């Protein structure tokens, strides 16, 4: 088969890009199509995409404006509908905010779309930028988003099959697109073997893009008031603000190597997570893969794998008081309780391995191909 992979954008690295990398490992000869590809912005992660055949859209070839997607999001339909996939047997789109599921394919080409989430800015979920604060932008966004919601719905009917990255996303697909989807959880990079430590170093850890919806400010407030040490891995548009409110108990590590991150996971007390409406949340599961319990806000897909007082702790109010209460509870746990929680965390993470992802994707693709082949034979 001739296979193409379609991805929203390649200018930053996150969970969606990890999915794309695994898809490329499965379909190693596949060509990749995207709106914008900027290796410089990918920094040390750019190595993952070297030697790939990557085709960027006409939008991604325009100097200057290609770096500013939000003001030009009204061009999204034109961008995706400009690609030609007539020479491919199978196209798999990896779709999120940039709505790559909106590509057009013609029979007999099969289109499977892996949905990370319906665009949050179209449906009232928290976004990385608090754009509603600015009146001109608010008016512009409401006008553009109205038409994009219409296009998002109609374009969501184009793929032959939809895959959701969690049951939370599956519910949103049903609500906004009126379509069914199967759930295949995204791949998580977990080590093969770990050692369980109950005498960890005196710090808590979070790994995240530093954007508004991640609520890193809440974690910082909790650390300052309860006087616990917090290490923050990641960068983002909120970095300057977050550093301005941080105190002596907070350390910003920006980007770190995989080796350094492994050590941070191994030596941390627990992983903190306060993101709102996160459809899945790869970082918490990755932490659990190292036997690190997670203390997280109950939102989005988090309850699908995080069980209170089993493999971590869940707080139900998005306040630093609720976080501190859980931190205090965690600090009082004895060594046996901590060991049990760490083992449960690891056991949970193993369900989301890259091997499981590959096997489920291949199984589904084979089912789809066989189904379509049988249908073609009958006709």
């Amino acid at each position: 088969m001739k296979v193409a992979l379609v991805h929203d954008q390649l200018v930053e690295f996150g969970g969606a890009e990890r999915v794309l990398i695994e898809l490329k490992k499965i379909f190693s000869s596949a060509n990749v199509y995207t709106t914008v590809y900027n290796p410089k912005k990918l920094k040390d992660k750019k190595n993952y995409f070297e030697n790939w055949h990557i085709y960027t859209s006409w939008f991604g070839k325009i100097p200057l404006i290609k770096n500013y997607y939000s003001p030009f999001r009204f061009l999204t339909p034109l961008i995706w509908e400009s690609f030609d996939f007539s020479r491919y047997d199978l196209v798999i789109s990896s779709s999120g905010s940039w709505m790559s599921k909106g590509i057009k394919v013609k029979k007999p080409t099969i289109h499977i779309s892996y949905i990370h989430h319906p665009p949050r800015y179209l449906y009232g979920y928290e976004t990385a930028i608090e754009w509603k604060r600015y009146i001109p932008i608010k008016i512009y966004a409401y006008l553009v988003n109205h038409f994009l919601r219409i296009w998002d719905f109609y374009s969501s009917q184009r793929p032959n099959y939809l895959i959701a990255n969690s049951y939370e996303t599956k519910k949103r697909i049903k609500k906004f697109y009126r379509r069914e989807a199967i759930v295949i959880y995204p791949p998580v990079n977990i080590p093969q073997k770990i050692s369980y430590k109950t005498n960890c170093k005196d710090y808590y850890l979070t790994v995240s893009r530093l954007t508004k919806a991640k609520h890193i400010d809440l974690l910082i407030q909790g650390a300052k008031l309860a006087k616990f040490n917090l290490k923050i891995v990641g960068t983002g548009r909120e970095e300057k603000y977050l550093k301005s409110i941080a105190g002596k108990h907070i350390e910003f590590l920006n980007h770190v190597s995989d080796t350094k991150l492994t050590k941070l996971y191994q030596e941390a007390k627990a992983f903190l997570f306060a993101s709102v409406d996160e459809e899945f949340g790869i970082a918490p599961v990755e932490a659990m893969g190292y036997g690190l319990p997670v203390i997280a806000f109950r939102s989005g897909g988090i309850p699908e794998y995080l069980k209170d007082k089993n493999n971590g702790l869940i707080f139900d109010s998005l306040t630093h008081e609720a976080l501190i209460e859980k931190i205090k509870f965690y600090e009082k746990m004895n060594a046996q309780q901590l060991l049990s929680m760490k083992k449960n965390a690891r056991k949970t993470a193993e369900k989301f391995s890259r091997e499981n992802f590959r096997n489920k994707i291949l199984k589904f693709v084979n089912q789809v191909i066989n189904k379509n082949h049988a249908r073609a034979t009958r006709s």
Side-chain angles (χ1 to χ4, degrees), residues 293-315:
V294 173
I295 302 175
F297 174 58
R298 188 190 301 275
S299 180
I302 293 295
E304 293 181 33
Y305 55 82
L306 189 62
K307 308 301 177 186
D308 193 42
K309 299 178 183 178
N310 176 273
N311 52 13
L313 298 173
I314 298 180
F315 54 100

Side-chain angles (χ1 to χ4, degrees), residues 192-200 266 288-293 335 338-348 350:
Q192 289 188 341
K193 294 181 180 179
I194 64 168
S195 59
Y196 298 99
K197 297 180 180 179
T198 54
N199 57 336
C200 301
Q266 290 173 335
M288 293 166 76
Y290 289 87
L292 187 61
L338 283 172
L339 181 60
S340 177
M341 187 172 281
K342 286 175 175 287
K343 288 183 176 180
N344 289 339
R346 168 66 186 195
K347 187 176 180 181
T348 299
E350 289 173 350

